[in-house]
Amino acid sequence: MLDTLQAPSPSSFTAIGDWIHHPPAKPAIPEPEGEKRRRFRTIWISDVHLGTKGCNADLLIDFLDRTDSDTMYLVGDIIDGWRLKKKIFWPPEHNDIVWRILKRAKRGTRIIYIPGNHDEMIRPFAGMNFGGVEIARAAFHDTADGRRLMVLHGDAFDTVMLAHRWLAFVGDALYHMMMKINGWVALVRKRLGLPYWSISKAAKHKVKNAVEFISKYEEVVARAAGERGVDGVVCGHIHTAEHRMFDHEGRSVEYWNDGDWVEGCNALVEHEDGRMEILHWADEVARREAEESESAVSERAAA
């Protein structure tokens, strides 16, 4: 019988291993019964930021309940240790996300967890396996159509993180202020029956310096993949889902970023034939609800 435990304390993150081995016995939000899941060969998600109010837990739970895969990569910043060290915030929905991921491992999905900078406290556990979740500093993935991809969080290529770590913490505090505003906007839109929309994501795409930083980051990460002789790279870190092609010494190198579950609510998936796709889950939910609404109208008209 699995016991219900509290989230690990900020002063004792070594308790994470025990906590993963003893997840909540039941989720607060039950898995839907008989739900038809979209099947993929591989799923990549990152930047969930469990332990913060910015985590869009409801959308991620919906995603986990409606998809499945042979392999799932957790590409860093799944848990936000930076925020948990300051203040404990761990609602039932965050336990539900952990429960669903561990349930996948129990069903036979291979789970590879590559910690990022916000969950760097898990990096010392690289090479270990907790509850069916493999911890690794980086990984290599072979697609169904024969491409070899490097998988890593990507903070090692962030010049701010490398040269001015203190500035990264200041930026993190400002970012979470923006997330509070984002949450208020999302709540108002939900009550008005409008689909999810991120004010912070929209602002980031319009700020010249942010656009330049993202572009440079993508180029540096792709070049690192090219230097290692692989066909491409999958990363997270900058909360911007993207696919771009770069040239490195006459070879094409693919850059994939799987986005985040704070602003964009994205996942990167590989289909059975090796084709890869970025899913924007808020759009998927809006499309599904529109189809269900149209179907209900048709049924009433036919009655």
Side-chain angles (χ1 to χ4, degrees):
M1 179 69 70
L2 297 175
D3 300 320
T4 301
L5 297 187
Q6 299 297 317
S9 70
S11 60
S12 180
F13 281 112
T14 55
I16 285 177
D18 291 335
W19 180 59
I20 288 177
H21 275 302
H22 300 278
K26 294 181 180 179
I29 302 174
E31 280 189 310
E33 295 183 6
E35 183 67 53
K36 185 177 180 181
R37 293 172 179 261
R38 294 170 62 181
R39 183 81 189 179
F40 301 102
R41 186 172 185 265
T42 314
I43 292 174
W44 291 264
I45 62 171
S46 74
D47 298 275
V48 175
H49 291 276
L50 294 173
T52 72
K53 293 182 180 180
C55 170
N56 208 316
D58 290 343
L59 273 177
L60 180 52
I61 287 171
D62 185 82
F63 171 79
L64 293 172
D65 284 344
R66 294 175 180 274
T67 62
D68 216 339
S69 62
D70 299 328
T71 304
M72 170 177 271
Y73 288 93
L74 308 175
V75 195
D77 287 1
I78 304 302
I79 300 170
D80 197 320
W82 290 11
R83 304 305 297 178
L84 286 173
K85 285 180 181 179
K86 297 177 181 179
K87 184 179 180 181
I88 286 291
F89 176 79
W90 200 271
E93 292 82 4
H94 291 202
N95 268 344
D96 285 1
I97 289 169
V98 175
W99 185 90
R100 280 163 166 79
I101 290 172
L102 295 177
K103 182 76 176 293
R104 284 175 180 245
K106 189 174 181 180
R107 290 201 305 261
T109 299
R110 185 185 180 196
I111 309 286
I112 301 100
Y113 184 176
I114 300 170
N117 51 303
H118 282 262
D119 48 13
E120 60 191 354
M121 67 282 182
I122 300 178
R123 283 176 170 166
F125 298 106
M128 301 179 69
N129 185 307
F130 295 111
V133 178
E134 304 171 31
I135 312 296
R137 291 299 296 267
F140 290 93
H141 175 79
D142 296 316
T143 64
D145 55 4
R147 289 168 294 152
R148 190 162 178 78
L149 305 176
M150 180 171 67
V151 185
L152 72 171
H153 180 64
D155 57 296
F157 301 96
D158 185 338
T159 54
V160 173
M161 279 295 303
L162 291 174
H164 304 287
R165 187 171 172 83
W166 66 271
L167 188 58
F169 282 99
V170 172
D172 179 65
L174 294 173
Y175 180 76
H176 280 278
M177 287 179 62
M178 176 65 81
M179 287 301 98
K180 287 184 179 180
I181 298 173
N182 209 62
W184 296 333
V185 172
L187 181 61
V188 171
R189 289 180 64 85
K190 185 175 182 179
R191 288 179 175 175
L192 293 174
L194 298 172
Y196 173 78
W197 176 76
S198 171
I199 186 174
S200 56
K201 181 181 177 182
K204 184 164 64 177
H205 280 280
K206 290 184 180 295
V207 177
K208 181 180 178 182
N209 287 344
V211 172
E212 290 178 351
F213 168 80
I214 291 169
S215 180
K216 186 65 175 178
Y217 172 86
E218 294 169 346
E219 181 182 342
V220 170
V221 174
R223 184 169 67 241
E227 290 171 351
R228 286 158 178 78
V230 295
D231 299 300
V233 60
V234 176
C235 63
H237 185 56
I238 59 172
H239 293 208
T240 304
E242 186 65 86
H243 174 228
R244 292 181 64 188
M245 297 297 296
F246 291 88
D247 180 77
H248 179 76
E249 297 181 352
R251 292 179 58 246
S252 292
V253 177
E254 286 186 88
Y255 168 90
W256 291 93
N257 193 300
D258 60 17
D260 70 287
W261 288 89
V262 177
E263 301 170 82
C265 300
N266 320 107
L268 174 64
V269 299
E270 178 195 1
H271 295 269
E272 294 296 336
D273 59 0
R275 179 173 57 90
M276 294 173 64
E277 178 185 8
I278 295 172
L279 300 179
H280 302 273
W281 202 248
D283 294 344
E284 298 282 336
V285 171
R287 188 180 304 115
R288 184 177 73 228
E289 290 177 347
E291 290 174 353
E292 290 173 351
S293 178
E294 290 177 6
S295 177
V297 170
S298 298
E299 288 177 3
R300 286 196 298 268

